[in-house]
Amino acid sequence: MSTKQTTIILAYIPVLHQGYWQFLSKHQTADQLLLIPSTLVTKVVPQIDYLHKDIRALEVKQIKQALEAWQIGPKIEILTLAKLEKLQKHSKLCLIAPDEDITRQLIKQFLPQAQISWDRIFLRWDKHKVLKHQDINTDATISASQFDQTIMQLAKDSSRHSSDWWRQVGAVIIDTQGEIISAGANRHQPSDQTPYVLGDTRGLFHKGQHIELSTAAHAESSLIAQSAKLGLTLQGASLYVTDFPCPYCARMIVLSGIKKLYYQTSYAVMDGQNLLKQAGIKIIQVKCEH
């Protein structure tokens, strides 16, 4: 058993980009960098079963060779099962690791005795980051505007036409003159009765998980599609929606020409909020009185 204190960076690095440069530069005084190969993850952490789908990923030997050319970090080795078992016997092990599903699961299973320093830097998407609920940073909070209250109430009234037991969402689009272009709710396809005939796919998952797997068309994307069908421009329009858009609907909104998003409640997931802000779309919360 080793009694000398050792600081090791433990990381899964499938590709190289600026984030990894920053991460390694920050921790270059560590004694060693251990690269986690995907083959080891597949073998010892079977619940992480998606790495083979990452078409960007380089072989771990290629990553090691490229990192050595950077010359910014400590000595680099590739983690093996034998090395992992040796680390289990280390009584004074200090680990530095990016806060990701792979490192969390690997350390939890094999190195619970280690002192851990988690780095919150964003390096890649993992399941936890994709499903994490995010607070929404609004550009303004509106509660006094009677117009916004009225339109949001119309969106709430529209939501009641949805047959979706899981969540009823209403939306309204108005043009630059304040005239209503369309209003509607999330509706199941091909019929409102589809989930009651074939079963509701949303019932298979927890809240916020796999929101794209549904027989219902979301309210926002439905209104945008209807406007396209009728040849109506949405350039400069405003969208009122009872629940903050999912990432897919956020992309539809960015591409539609809508410039203002009014929402009542809920949360953001993945990169939906950032996409809207980067496209210059103002995000405004309407706190309805009723």
Side-chain angles (χ1 to χ4, degrees), residues 54-74:
D54 191 350
I55 59 175
R56 315 163 307 149
L58 297 171
E59 292 291 334
V60 68
K61 291 181 179 180
Q62 294 174 308
I63 292 292
K64 180 177 181 293
Q65 192 174 35
L67 287 176
E68 288 171 340
W70 277 6
Q71 297 183 338
I72 60 170

Side-chain angles (χ1 to χ4, degrees), residues 4-239:
K4 179 184 176 183
Q5 182 167 305
T6 304
T7 300
I8 293 175
I9 302 172
L10 187 66
Y12 170 69
I13 304 180
V15 294
L16 298 181
H17 56 63
Q18 187 182 30
Y20 288 108
W21 177 281
Q22 294 172 345
F23 171 68
L24 295 175
S25 296
K26 181 180 178 182
H27 303 294
Q28 59 184 312
T29 58
D31 298 308
Q32 188 179 46
L33 166 61
L34 281 180
L35 295 175
I36 306 171
S38 60
T39 51
L40 180 63
V41 177
T42 303
K43 184 175 181 179
V44 301
V45 192
Q47 56 268 52
I48 298 179
D49 57 358
Y50 60 85
L51 297 184
H52 67 283
K53 300 177 185 178
D54 191 350
I55 59 175
R56 315 163 307 149
L58 297 171
E59 292 291 334
V60 68
K61 291 181 179 180
Q62 294 174 308
I63 292 292
K64 180 177 181 293
Q65 192 174 35
L67 287 176
E68 288 171 340
W70 277 6
Q71 297 183 338
I72 60 170
K75 179 183 177 183
I76 304 170
E77 289 190 33
I78 297 172
L79 183 64
T80 63
L81 185 55
K83 289 177 183 176
L84 189 57
E85 292 171 346
K86 185 177 180 180
L87 289 176
Q88 289 179 304
K89 301 175 183 178
H90 202 305
S91 62
K92 292 188 177 181
L93 179 63
C94 297
L95 293 179
I96 299 170
D99 189 10
E100 300 178 344
D101 55 355
I102 291 175
T103 47
R104 279 202 168 273
Q105 193 61 45
L106 202 64
I107 291 170
K108 179 182 178 181
Q109 286 185 209
F110 295 95
L111 304 170
Q113 85 284 5
Q115 178 182 328
I116 314 296
S117 176
W118 295 109
D119 194 310
R120 309 293 179 181
I121 187 172
F122 181 87
L123 297 174
R124 65 183 187 89
W125 288 113
D126 63 21
K127 288 184 178 179
H128 173 73
K129 293 184 181 72
V130 169
L131 298 175
K132 182 181 180 181
H133 297 175
Q134 305 166 21
D135 292 333
I136 301 166
N137 298 317
T138 58
D139 298 307
T141 299
I142 296 178
S143 58
S145 170
Q146 186 59 50
F147 179 81
D148 292 327
Q149 294 275 335
T150 300
I151 300 299
M152 187 59 75
Q153 186 59 52
L154 176 58
K156 291 172 66 178
D157 293 341
S158 298
S159 72
R160 299 187 179 100
H161 294 285
S162 172
S163 66
D164 193 299
W165 177 88
W166 186 271
R167 176 171 293 176
Q168 295 178 311
V169 179
V172 177
I173 298 178
I174 63 170
D175 62 20
T176 54
Q177 304 304 312
E179 298 296 324
I180 295 173
I181 296 177
S182 58
N186 55 324
R187 304 293 289 266
H188 285 275
Q189 303 293 332
S191 162
D192 284 342
Q193 305 308 313
T194 295
Y196 304 103
V197 175
L198 303 177
D200 188 355
T201 56
R202 296 302 307 131
L204 301 174
F205 308 104
H206 294 294
K207 180 180 179 181
Q209 291 187 341
H210 302 297
I211 54 180
E212 78 286 358
L213 300 179
S214 172
T215 58
H218 291 192
E220 311 95 304
S221 58
S222 293
L223 296 190
I224 292 171
Q226 289 173 20
S227 298
K229 181 179 179 180
L230 297 174
L232 301 174
T233 180
L234 298 183
Q235 189 62 43
S238 298
L239 169 66

